[in-house]
Amino acid sequence: MKNEQSQTTDNAKTDLTDPVFLKELRIQMLKFAVMQIRDESLAEDAVQEALIGALKNSGSFGRRSALKTWVFAILKNKIKDILRKTNRLAEVSEQLPDHADEDNLMLFGTNGRWHVDERPVSWSQPLESVKSDHFWRVFETCLSHLPENQARLFMMREFLELSSEEICESLNITTSNLHVMLYRARLRLRECLENNWFSGGEKS
Amino acid sequence: MMNCQQATRLFSDAQERPLSLKEKSSLGVHAMMCAGCRHFGHQMGTLREISQIYTKGLNTTNQN
């Protein structure tokens, strides 16, 4: 198998020892970890361990994107471990639930229908956006503008892919409570992306 | 008759659990007549796809 590895194929070991690539990767990983752990030094630990794990078991990857996917999968597991061990999951529950009055964020009228200028528009080729660095800056900004609890629950669910059961159990919240919070997070995030990217922001 | 607020809630819930037959059909009827909610429904799936790309660390252009 080793012989079949052509020179054009990147090798994870060389990639991970390429200082420029590694530096950028670390920054990106750290940002991701800090968002979710909210503790710089615990996040550093997670990134460190993930990189060491990656170096130890590095095989070959055709593209750097495959390597990144793999390193981030390791990091995700480290983040989950840390959240469980330090009980940081539980910190969310204190402020739950949010007030119901912000539920509709003024998006809907009293009859429960969209206000005309809040009505979602069609996103053209949304998955083309992911190729743009600018799009990801908008995405991160929108995430950071979510109320804290909503952001954390959204990330636990969509980034760490924790099951509803685990989230509810460790936070001691009901499933319907979780679903309301995720709904609010999605309402806001969707709106923010639409306002700042999918309708007009794209060209700027 | 379902309104947009209820419809969007169900579109979000559909990411979390299978909807009941009754929920599905009333949501279907609403979405048929309401373009805004129809877009919203698609975008729930898009949000998940975008999150997955982000989670794989593929949100930068320096990966090739």
Side-chain angles (χ1 to χ4, degrees):
Chain A
M1 248 185 18
K2 261 185 188 153
N3 306 341
E4 286 164 19
Q5 212 175 291
S6 71
Q7 282 98 335
T8 53
T9 307
D10 280 67
N11 179 286
K13 237 169 202 141
T14 19
D15 270 342
L16 287 173
T17 49
D18 168 358
V20 179
F21 176 71
L22 189 62
K23 193 177 164 218
E24 279 174 20
L25 183 63
R26 270 198 91 254
I27 292 171
Q28 195 191 348
M29 289 169 79
L30 193 60
K31 191 155 141 202
F32 184 75
V34 168
M35 277 165 77
Q36 286 157 96
I37 304 178
R38 289 166 194 245
D39 179 303
E40 194 93 23
S41 81
L42 285 173
E44 285 271 7
D45 290 348
V47 170
Q48 210 56 35
E49 284 177 34
L51 281 173
I52 290 168
L55 268 171
K56 234 190 262 170
N57 303 300
S58 54
S60 65
F61 294 85
R63 293 157 61 98
R64 284 192 164 172
S65 58
L67 169 65
K68 277 188 147 183
T69 300
W70 181 64
V71 173
F72 266 79
I74 301 176
L75 178 62
K76 240 167 75 173
N77 283 324
K78 298 284 173 202
I79 293 172
K80 281 194 257 191
D81 285 347
I82 286 178
L83 288 177
R84 287 180 186 127
K85 248 189 265 164
T86 58
N87 248 334
R88 294 186 83 81
L89 286 175
E91 285 174 10
V92 168
S93 56
E94 288 175 17
Q95 302 149 40
L96 285 173
D98 281 8
H99 295 294
D101 58 346
E102 56 140 10
D103 205 354
N104 55 25
L105 306 163
M106 323 291 278
L107 296 174
F108 303 101
T110 43
N111 56 7
R113 291 169 66 177
W114 291 108
H115 284 307
V116 176
D117 37 346
E118 302 291 358
R119 204 180 289 146
V121 298
S122 168
W123 293 357
S124 74
Q125 300 191 294
L127 294 180
E128 282 296 300
S129 304
V130 305
K131 294 177 187 157
S132 155
D133 283 340
H134 183 196
F135 170 75
W136 291 113
R137 283 197 294 279
V138 172
F139 180 73
E140 284 171 347
T141 307
C142 287
L143 259 182
S144 70
H145 282 115
L146 290 178
E148 187 160 323
N149 281 333
Q150 288 175 25
R152 297 198 63 193
L153 289 174
F154 181 83
M155 290 191 286
M156 283 178 199
R157 191 73 191 89
E158 303 288 349
F159 292 178
L160 301 179
E161 294 173 281
L162 292 169
S163 70
S164 295
E165 291 77 25
E166 181 172 10
I167 296 174
C168 290
E169 207 170 292
S170 51
L171 301 187
N172 201 17
I173 58 175
T174 61
T175 311
S176 73
N177 212 328
L178 173 66
H179 289 181
V180 176
M181 297 290 282
L182 287 172
Y183 169 56
R184 291 176 191 168
R186 289 176 177 133
L187 267 181
R188 280 180 191 259
L189 195 55
R190 193 213 70 79
E191 199 212 2
C192 183
L193 288 176
E194 180 160 304
N195 291 344
N196 295 290
W197 180 263
F198 287 107
S199 62
E202 213 162 345
K203 305 286 182 297
S204 67
Chain B
M1 182 62 204
M2 181 179 280
N3 64 34
C4 300
Q5 202 168 352
Q6 294 159 334
T8 51
R9 171 66 199 272
L10 277 186
F11 273 126
S12 173
D13 280 9
Q15 301 287 318
E16 304 303 317
R17 63 174 176 88
L19 299 183
S20 73
L21 228 65
K22 195 173 158 224
E23 287 171 328
K24 265 191 215 162
S25 61
S26 28
L27 187 57
V29 171
H30 179 93
M32 210 156 60
M33 297 178 307
C34 176
C37 287
R38 208 155 55 232
H39 297 318
F40 186 94
H42 286 304
Q43 288 154 4
M44 291 297 99
T46 306
L47 273 188
R48 178 154 285 175
E49 286 175 274
I50 289 171
S51 297
Q52 272 161 11
I53 293 168
Y54 187 72
T55 308
K56 288 179 180 165
L58 304 184
N59 53 317
T60 59
T61 44
N62 71 338
Q63 62 211 9
N64 289 311

